[in-house]
Amino acid sequence: MFVLGLNAYHGDSSAAILKDGQVIAAVEEERFRRIKHWAGLPTESIKYCLEVAGITYGDLRHIAINLDPKVNHGRRLLHVLRHLPSPKLILARLAKLGKTRSLRDTLNSAFPDQPLHPEAQVHHVEHHLAHLASSYLCSPFEEAVSVSVDGMGDFASAAWGMGRGQSLSVDGRVYFPHSLGIFYSALTQWLGFPHYGDEYKVMGLAPYGQPHFLDQMRQIVRVQSDGTFRLDLRYFRHHREAVPYSWDNGSPEVGTLFTPELEKLLGPARKKDEPLEQRHRDIARSIQAMFEEALFALLEQLHSRYRCDALTLSGGCAMNSVANGKVYQRSPFKKLYIQSAAGDAGGAIGSAMVVAQTLPNSQSGGQPRHYCRHAYWGPEYTEADFATLLEAESTRLQEAGCQITIHANPALLCDAVATAISEGKVIGWFQGRLEWGPRALGNRSILGDPRRADMKDILNAKIKRRESFRPFAPSVLREEVPAWFETDDDVPFMMQVFQLREEKRPQIPAVTHVDGSGRLQTVSADTNPIYHQLISRFHALTGVPMVLNTSFNENEPVVCHPQEALECFLRTKMDVLVLGGYLVARHPNVAQS
């Protein structure tokens, strides 16, 4: 039995497909459209999922989407009566609801040659239920508190409940307009980072400041005695005005979320091209501190209520890896799982899993759960594909001074690449299936030497072309984590920031943040054997059991197709490109030109 799950008409549109309750494919639409955070109907992702499943659109019997226009109507009406939002805002909301309701017709229009079977059902799953399911039902836990926190979805910004076995309850919510995600987004805009998804820049900037503005943040967000939170709405526009949102067939765009009152409190908003001053760094740190204060107040109350030590987190706010890394220190929880696509893209898997639990199974009340131990659910390519590409591009490669070698033996390939990394070279590493979620996890990665103090500057200046304060992450052999980090845990999806052991920090300056932390990814031999083998070889050469890992891209979505990897390699100053067993090395004089 197949279930197709969708995140549509929102940022990071995506599709995932389950077979008998097990994930077999999942991918974000941006990887095909080449537009970051692409929003709309993910038709290319749907086609990919159907191809992996070996079925056609007309074969589907169950489609799930992580939006339900029928929920929380009472809260919506109460909000209208209390706040009298503009007619333009009401019309915009109604238009989106109408589009969601007509999903079946829209899908049929996108696949005109094979309309849905008359018996096929389109299931609308509440946004936060889909988030909760994407974490708990993918987790290894038989019992866990499940929490979702994001900007907004189906008129709620947070939800929580209890997962037991295959069942998952939703026991509480924080409703619109109060939202930790909107707080973080509005303050991100105030700091001069205007694009959808720029919140991670605030997280990267925060360690360079001090929380001197925490008192002001506590005026903006008010933590309640029950652990929930409320916004002082004087500082926000989203609840009353028609803030422009664009979710159709392109890059998402969000209008200004804050009011002039915020500028009275914090001073004039920084324009995106203005220099970053220490005051901005301090405000970034204060934003992060307020976010953590509110999040951990909620977690404290939920642990007290449920008396369970396992936690799963989801929603866009679960992408805050700095806060995630403090869960064990600042809350009573002792076990944590966060799915690789914790944000809205993950709703595709979550909504499909909710529906799968309602379908008959001979051994249980629903299809079996799927513990997602890895994130490799996207497209993959063969050695023949790589050979064809390199042959077709042979003239360009010769002009770029490139030499191609073939390593049929993975051990020899890893030896060669580990040696190149140890020599300070920058590697484009393309293997296996594309990662699901925003992080490159060793299949579409740019790799470097974490021991080099100048590696961060080299990558930022020559390849990534991004802000100098943004950090890079280490991919670490799982078995070596206790020796290098103060916290020992599985972090396969790069979702937690832990403190490095103080004596180890000088050895790996390229992946050590200014506050002594690192956003690690743990790498296991059973989930990514060739990446583990590469890092193991680097460990044998250098005594350091990790490599610097950043996403294989240059201000674009992570590369999906080998052609995109080759184009990125040629237009940047990367030294080596690895496509499967093929190693493309640029002559050093050309690489530095």
Side-chain angles (χ1 to χ4, degrees), residues 337 372-374 376 441 490-495 521-523:
Y337 179 87
C372 290
R373 300 186 64 247
H374 66 78
Y376 308 115
L441 301 171
D490 292 314
V491 190
F493 307 134
M494 208 184 287
M495 287 292 192
Q521 173 207 359
T522 55
V523 180

Side-chain angles (χ1 to χ4, degrees), residues 271-283:
K271 293 181 172 56
K272 67 177 182 178
D273 296 324
E274 291 180 347
L276 282 164
E277 301 172 354
Q278 187 57 42
R279 187 165 173 275
H280 300 124
R281 299 181 182 95
D282 291 343
I283 288 177

Side-chain angles (χ1 to χ4, degrees), residues 418-432:
T419 300
I421 295 172
S422 72
E423 294 170 348
K425 293 178 181 177
V426 177
I427 315 296
W429 178 257
F430 189 108
Q431 302 287 340

Side-chain angles (χ1 to χ4, degrees), residues 534-546:
L534 170 63
I535 302 171
S536 297
R537 183 56 188 152
F538 184 80
H539 185 202
L541 285 173
T542 67
V544 174
M546 66 188 75

Side-chain angles (χ1 to χ4, degrees), residues 76-249:
R76 296 177 200 267
L77 178 60
L78 184 61
H79 172 76
V80 170
L81 295 175
R82 282 180 175 173
H83 296 283
L84 299 176
S86 71
K88 188 175 180 181
L89 174 58
I90 295 173
L91 289 173
R93 301 289 186 194
L94 291 174
K96 184 173 182 180
L97 291 176
K99 184 179 294 185
T100 304
R101 287 193 181 102
S102 62
L103 179 63
R104 187 186 192 102
D105 293 338
T106 306
L107 283 167
N108 283 338
S109 297
F111 296 90
D113 298 331
Q114 41 180 323
L116 274 181
H117 191 278
E119 295 180 4
Q121 300 177 59
V122 176
H123 306 265
H124 292 274
V125 177
E126 183 184 356
H127 183 82
H128 284 280
L129 175 58
H131 271 319
L132 296 171
S134 77
S135 56
Y136 172 67
L137 293 177
C138 287
S139 79
F141 308 136
E142 282 302 311
E143 183 175 83
V145 179
S146 191
V147 180
S148 167
V149 185
D150 67 4
M152 199 61 61
D154 284 335
F155 216 71
S157 73
W160 52 87
M162 193 69 196
R164 292 186 176 90
Q166 292 184 219
S167 66
L168 176 62
S169 65
V170 182
D171 302 329
R173 298 175 178 84
V174 174
Y175 292 99
F176 184 93
H178 304 287
S179 166
L180 269 187
I182 286 178
F183 156 72
Y184 212 102
S185 295
L187 273 293
T188 297
Q189 292 178 344
W190 184 94
L191 275 172
F193 305 122
H195 300 299
Y196 183 88
D198 274 353
E199 290 82 0
Y200 65 94
K201 296 182 181 181
V202 178
M203 192 171 57
L205 184 62
Y208 294 87
Q210 296 297 324
H212 295 319
F213 292 84
L214 187 53
D215 286 344
Q216 289 90 331
M217 297 300 151
R218 287 171 176 155
Q219 294 181 49
I220 301 169
V221 179
R222 301 183 184 277
V223 176
Q224 308 297 295
S225 59
D226 63 355
T228 61
F229 45 83
R230 295 180 66 83
L231 302 181
D232 187 329
L233 296 173
R234 292 177 299 167
Y235 301 111
F236 300 91
R237 300 176 55 227
H238 65 285
H239 63 295
R240 192 183 294 271
E241 302 176 42
V243 175
Y245 282 83
S246 175
W247 304 119
D248 290 329
N249 300 321

